[in-house]
Amino acid sequence: MLKSEAYKKFKKFLFNGELRPGQMFSQRELCEIIGISIAPLRDALHEIQNEGLIELIPNRGVKIILVNDKFVIESFQIRKFLEVGALREIIKKKIPDVFIEIKQEMNDIKKSSEVCIDSQLLKRALEIDEFFHKNLISNLNNSLLLNLHEKVYDRVKLIKKNIRYTSERLVPAMNEHIKIIEDMNGGQKDNSILSLELHLRIAENNFLIGDQEL
Amino acid sequence: MLKSEAYKKFKKFLFNGELRPGQMFSQRELCEIIGISIAPLRDALHEIQNEGLIELIPNRGVKIILVNDKFVIESFQIRKFLEVGALREIIKKKIPDVFIEIKQEMNDIKKSSEVCIDSQLLKRALEIDEFFHKNLISNLNNSLLLNLHEKVYDRVKLIKKNIRYTSERLVPAMNEHIKIIEDMNGGQKDNSILSLELHLRIAENNFLIGDQEL
């Protein structure tokens, strides 16, 4: 098995919640849990440590990073820099049609939420959420930027996994996204940027308040 | 020798210009040039490839990335997002005194330039330039942000190494920096951000024009 496969498998277990923040494992335990051999695991762990998702503690093992206030604040600060920067660039050029479809899906989710908010709908909401934010970045066709945002977004995924995306947040979050898109399409450049900043601040605050649950 | 030492040594040779953009080396050749053994080199090369500074080409060797227009544009786009974002945060809080000393050094360099612009003075100018831009980031005490900016700044260092920081650029660059700091200290928030954006745009354009030289 290659390092890149070990890397992907480790992340899958991390985002599935099978490896939880703050937990400590020996490399041997990790091999068993994930079902991979030690050499590719070791290579992958070095890269994942560079991304700040684990700590390698000599003679003890692997500690999954704790999702605490510092982790949330640092992640959201960078996320804001990259996404707000990207939105400014997108507005300077022209608005790509892809956001129209995203807005349609968000309105569909809102409509479905009037009937029942179940885990299926929450999953759809999380997916369109991720798709929207990653689209802001991928629109710029900058592979290094995409790579850095991916790393920051992995942290956001870890935060979301460990602090619930509650049903009360579903409709407001969709409305915030729709507002960003509408301001953008309506040529309200400054409003659109303020809307994105506000959306990220609300999300961050929700996660900070949720921190006690951990 | 550890991977981290191999990593540092490789970068030293890259930034010294001993490994030039576009060149191809076998891993054995690199070991000889840098004076390290193959195992730590191989580990380090994987990380350096992740940072986008080299390409590992199977059965052929290591290609130093070409510093072309795409490389410059992508690097400066991210640099702008991170540094402008950081400046906005710094202005929101309060201005740290450290920028006063930076401004003083920049004025000293300008005064010295009236006598003679030699390689010594250009070196001082490059150092204070790097110190100023890294200070914008380090002021926020966000270790992940510092890490990402370091990676982007490594690309900028490679660009600077291969496209000369000419003596004609010395005084204008110092003036642009001083303007950013003065706008910041004078409470001219928006002007300060515009000044930083303009400074980065001028620098980027200079590097793009310089591209033919490679």
Side-chain angles (χ1 to χ4, degrees):
Chain A
M1 179 186 288
L2 289 167
K3 174 196 162 191
S4 60
E5 289 173 63
Y7 175 91
K8 272 183 214 154
K9 272 196 135 182
F10 181 94
K11 288 222 167 162
K12 189 173 151 241
F13 278 76
L14 185 65
F15 297 138
N16 275 351
E18 286 171 270
L19 309 171
R20 285 188 56 79
Q23 280 184 324
M24 175 85 99
F25 302 93
S26 70
Q27 296 201 353
R28 193 166 298 275
E29 283 173 317
L30 278 180
C31 286
E32 276 174 34
I33 295 171
I34 302 176
I36 52 181
S37 53
I38 192 99
L41 174 74
R42 202 177 287 135
D43 286 345
L45 289 179
H46 280 287
E47 187 169 342
I48 295 163
Q49 182 180 36
N50 280 337
E51 296 174 7
L53 294 177
I54 57 168
E55 273 179 83
L56 296 176
I57 301 172
N59 303 322
R60 294 203 47 208
V62 180
K63 192 182 173 194
I64 311 296
I65 197 83
L66 212 56
V67 176
N68 57 18
D69 281 2
K70 184 173 154 52
F71 187 89
V72 173
I73 289 167
E74 291 194 354
S75 305
F76 268 79
Q77 185 167 65
I78 302 170
R79 204 186 155 185
K80 186 176 83 175
F81 290 176
L82 299 184
E83 293 185 16
V84 171
L87 181 57
R88 283 180 203 278
E89 296 289 315
I90 290 170
I91 290 169
K92 250 194 256 170
K93 296 170 188 177
K94 70 178 192 75
I95 300 100
D97 285 346
V98 70
F99 289 111
I100 310 289
E101 285 168 42
I102 291 176
K103 189 181 146 188
Q104 185 54 52
E105 166 69 359
M106 286 171 175
N107 275 321
D108 286 350
I109 289 172
K110 274 174 65 183
K111 205 162 280 173
S112 299
S113 78
E114 288 166 18
V115 185
C116 163
I117 300 180
D118 57 10
S119 64
Q120 188 63 25
L121 192 66
L122 280 169
K123 189 164 169 281
R124 255 177 84 194
L126 268 173
E127 279 168 2
I128 195 71
D129 184 359
E130 180 170 343
F131 188 70
F132 170 66
H133 289 284
K134 289 201 167 173
N135 237 280
L136 283 175
I137 299 297
S138 61
N139 254 286
L140 300 187
N141 288 317
N142 180 335
S143 55
L144 181 67
L145 175 66
L146 204 60
N147 189 283
L148 296 186
H149 186 261
E150 184 80 33
K151 297 206 183 322
V152 179
Y153 212 87
D154 274 356
R155 292 167 69 106
V156 173
K157 270 154 79 177
L158 199 59
I159 294 167
K160 283 188 176 165
K161 188 70 212 170
N162 289 282
I163 300 164
R164 287 189 303 277
Y165 192 81
T166 60
S167 52
E168 296 90 65
R169 183 77 188 116
L170 186 136
V171 172
M174 291 302 121
N175 282 334
E176 287 158 28
H177 291 133
I178 290 167
K179 174 94 168 60
I180 298 164
I181 296 170
E182 284 180 347
D183 285 342
M184 197 162 58
N185 289 340
Q188 305 282 315
K189 181 185 157 161
D190 291 343
N191 281 353
S192 178
I193 290 160
L194 289 175
S195 297
L196 175 57
E197 285 177 342
L198 181 63
H199 167 59
L200 292 176
R201 196 153 60 242
I202 292 170
E204 182 184 4
N205 282 342
N206 271 324
F207 291 133
L208 289 175
I209 293 162
D211 193 35
Q212 300 96 296
E213 287 187 56
L214 289 181
Chain B
M1 178 187 289
L2 289 167
K3 173 196 164 192
S4 61
E5 289 173 65
Y7 175 91
K8 273 183 213 154
K9 272 196 135 183
F10 181 94
K11 288 223 167 161
K12 190 173 151 241
F13 277 76
L14 185 65
F15 297 138
N16 275 351
E18 286 170 270
L19 308 171
R20 288 188 56 78
Q23 282 184 322
M24 174 84 99
F25 303 93
S26 70
Q27 296 202 353
R28 194 166 297 277
E29 284 172 316
L30 278 179
C31 287
E32 275 175 34
I33 294 170
I34 302 175
I36 53 181
S37 53
I38 193 98
L41 175 74
R42 203 176 288 136
D43 287 344
L45 289 179
H46 280 288
E47 187 169 343
I48 295 163
Q49 183 180 35
N50 280 337
E51 296 174 8
L53 294 177
I54 57 168
E55 274 178 81
L56 296 177
I57 301 172
N59 303 322
R60 295 203 46 208
V62 181
K63 192 180 173 193
I64 311 296
I65 196 87
L66 211 56
V67 177
N68 56 18
D69 281 2
K70 181 173 155 55
F71 187 88
V72 173
I73 290 167
E74 290 195 356
S75 305
F76 268 80
Q77 184 168 65
I78 302 170
R79 203 186 156 186
K80 186 176 85 177
F81 290 176
L82 299 183
E83 293 186 18
V84 170
L87 181 58
R88 283 180 203 278
E89 295 291 314
I90 290 171
I91 290 169
K92 249 195 255 167
K93 296 170 189 177
K94 72 180 191 74
I95 300 97
D97 285 346
V98 70
F99 289 112
I100 310 290
E101 284 167 42
I102 290 176
K103 188 181 148 190
Q104 185 56 53
E105 167 69 358
M106 286 171 175
N107 275 320
D108 287 350
I109 288 172
K110 273 175 65 184
K111 205 163 280 171
S112 299
S113 78
E114 289 166 17
V115 185
C116 164
I117 300 179
D118 57 10
S119 64
Q120 189 63 27
L121 193 67
L122 280 169
K123 190 163 168 281
R124 257 177 83 195
L126 268 174
E127 279 168 3
I128 196 71
D129 183 359
E130 179 170 345
F131 188 69
F132 170 66
H133 289 284
K134 289 201 168 173
N135 238 281
L136 283 174
I137 300 296
S138 61
N139 254 288
L140 300 187
N141 288 317
N142 179 335
S143 54
L144 181 67
L145 174 66
L146 204 59
N147 189 284
L148 296 186
H149 186 260
E150 183 81 34
K151 298 208 184 316
V152 179
Y153 212 88
D154 275 356
R155 292 168 69 106
V156 174
K157 270 155 78 175
L158 199 59
I159 295 167
K160 282 189 176 164
K161 188 68 211 171
N162 290 284
I163 300 165
R164 285 188 304 278
Y165 192 80
T166 61
S167 53
E168 297 90 64
R169 182 79 187 116
L170 186 136
V171 173
M174 291 302 120
N175 281 335
E176 286 158 30
H177 292 132
I178 290 166
K179 174 92 167 60
I180 298 163
I181 297 170
E182 284 180 347
D183 285 342
M184 195 163 58
N185 288 340
Q188 305 281 314
K189 181 185 157 163
D190 291 342
N191 282 351
S192 180
I193 290 161
L194 290 175
S195 298
L196 175 57
E197 285 178 341
L198 181 63
H199 168 58
L200 292 175
R201 196 152 59 241
I202 292 171
E204 182 184 4
N205 283 342
N206 271 321
F207 291 133
L208 290 175
I209 294 163
D211 192 36
Q212 301 95 298
E213 286 186 58
L214 288 180

